[in-house]
Amino acid sequence: MPAGWYNLEAAGNAIPQTQMFEGDSAFAFLKLSRTQRLYGFVACLAIGFVLSVLGTSLLFLGMLFSFVILYTIGIVVSLIGTGFVIGFFQQLKLMFKPVRIVASIIFLGSIGMVFVAAFVLGNQLLCIIMVIVEYLAYTWYTLSYIPYARDAVLKMVGLA
């Protein structure tokens, strides 16, 4: 594994903060202000989180198919929120940069595995495991945007 694999990219390759809300929003046709776009992002993130938590609680109640529907809608709504900030295509480009590719693949793969565990295997325990894996991968992915956050987490759990 290369030396900078799990570290944030060099500052020269990062998107400057001033460009985060400039022009490339997937919702540019709405002509929203920067503040409105931030509200849209936070609202989508919150709604997606609530739907995912509700779906996960249905899983613990044994309602496997309802879980998959709510959980997936929650994840999709959360990801739509990034369209307010930087746009979908920019998000995809950032997801597959070397610093994030492993976390992105695990994140997307675990979403697919939730479907397989629920609809093909009908295994509730495997669904729970895949949800945990998905949240851990998403957390690791998110930490890649915060300078030195991954290093701090690794030190906190005694792996660095």
Side-chain angles (χ1 to χ4, degrees), residues 45 78-79 82 103 107 133-143:
L45 196 65
S78 294
L79 291 175
T82 61
F107 171 67
V133 167
E134 184 266 324
Y135 278 115
L136 290 173
Y138 184 69
T139 300
W140 195 248
Y141 166 80
T142 304
L143 289 174

Side-chain angles (χ1 to χ4, degrees), residues 6 8 10 24-25 31-32 38 47 65 76 102 109 118 131 139 146:
Y6 58 85
L8 190 66
D24 282 344
S25 167
K31 299 194 183 341
L32 300 174
L38 186 59
I47 291 167
F65 299 114
V76 169
V102 172
V131 167
T139 300
I146 304 167

Side-chain angles (χ1 to χ4, degrees), residues 3-77:
W5 183 257
Y6 58 85
N7 291 329
L8 190 66
E9 295 174 78
N13 293 335
I15 296 176
Q17 289 288 48
T18 58
Q19 290 182 3
M20 263 322 221
F21 288 95
E22 301 301 324
D24 282 344
S25 167
F27 303 102
F29 66 92
L30 295 175
K31 299 194 183 341
L32 300 174
S33 70
R34 181 178 295 189
T35 302
Q36 291 169 324
R37 289 167 65 180
L38 186 59
Y39 286 154
F41 168 71
V42 171
C44 284
L45 196 65
I47 291 167
F49 179 75
V50 168
L51 288 173
S52 294
V53 169
L54 281 172
T56 304
S57 65
L58 291 176
L59 177 64
F60 288 106
L61 296 173
M63 303 169 78
L64 202 55
F65 299 114
S66 298
F67 151 74
V68 170
I69 300 303
L70 272 179
Y71 175 78
T72 304
I73 290 172
I75 295 296
V76 169
V77 168

